[in-house]
Amino acid sequence: MDENSPVFAIAVAAELAEMHPQTLRQYDRLGLVVPGRTRGGSRRYSMRDVVQLREIARLGSEGVSLEGIRRVLDLENENKELRDRVRELERALADQLISRPGARVFAATASGAAISLRAGARPQRNTQIVLYREPHA
């Protein structure tokens, strides 16, 4: 079960959110938190829905209007979708890099640091001469 699984009946979700079930119905009508539905039409809330209900209560107690709360929730949902998409793209990029052996080439510098090279490129040689003089005691 994940946070998006609609498993809680309205009475349980209302208790978890510390709200009256009628408030949940009102938020559903307003589109603030729209629960899943069973085949019979009963509302089923997910843990994510309960967290959003608590966030609505918190914002309302701070004086934010229902329209302001709707906007905050929309932005939070969009932010979550974008973060999920970034993670998805990062995984795809990592898979792509792993599936192309030899695509990443590294060399070591004189100090031992690793540097990335383009495939087929050679590292530059350091041809400097360094003189060492023993310090006089």
Side-chain angles (χ1 to χ4, degrees):
M1 181 175 86
D2 69 5
E3 69 175 4
N4 295 313
S5 297
V7 294
F8 303 116
I10 191 166
V12 175
E15 187 175 327
L16 290 171
E18 299 177 356
M19 294 179 172
H20 192 278
Q22 190 60 37
T23 305
L24 275 63
R25 290 183 190 94
Q26 179 68 20
Y27 290 164
D28 183 11
R29 280 191 293 276
L30 294 172
L32 289 175
V33 176
V34 180
R37 298 281 183 156
T38 65
R39 289 182 192 203
S42 298
R43 293 173 175 89
R44 288 292 184 262
Y45 291 84
S46 68
M47 197 62 215
R48 186 160 189 267
D49 293 333
V50 171
V51 169
Q52 281 194 324
L53 289 166
R54 287 182 174 192
E55 179 71 0
I56 290 170
R58 185 187 67 77
L59 291 169
S61 71
E62 293 177 2
V64 180
S65 70
L66 287 179
E67 188 53 40
I69 290 171
R70 177 192 322 277
R71 185 69 180 133
V72 168
L73 292 179
D74 287 347
L75 290 171
E76 285 178 351
N77 290 333
E78 182 180 354
N79 189 332
K80 182 185 181 317
E81 290 170 10
L82 291 171
R83 282 193 317 266
D84 291 345
R85 180 69 175 140
V86 166
R87 276 193 290 280
E88 177 186 321
L89 291 171
E90 286 173 339
R91 280 192 297 273
L93 177 61
D95 290 345
Q96 182 68 21
L97 290 174
I98 289 171
S99 69
R100 295 185 325 184
R104 297 197 61 184
V105 179
F106 297 92
T109 65
S111 65
I115 57 170
S116 180
L117 298 173
R118 287 180 291 113
R122 293 183 175 265
Q124 292 181 347
R125 287 188 172 183
N126 187 349
T127 58
Q128 296 174 339
I129 298 175
V130 178
L131 298 176
Y132 176 76
R133 292 191 182 165
E134 184 89 23
H136 295 297

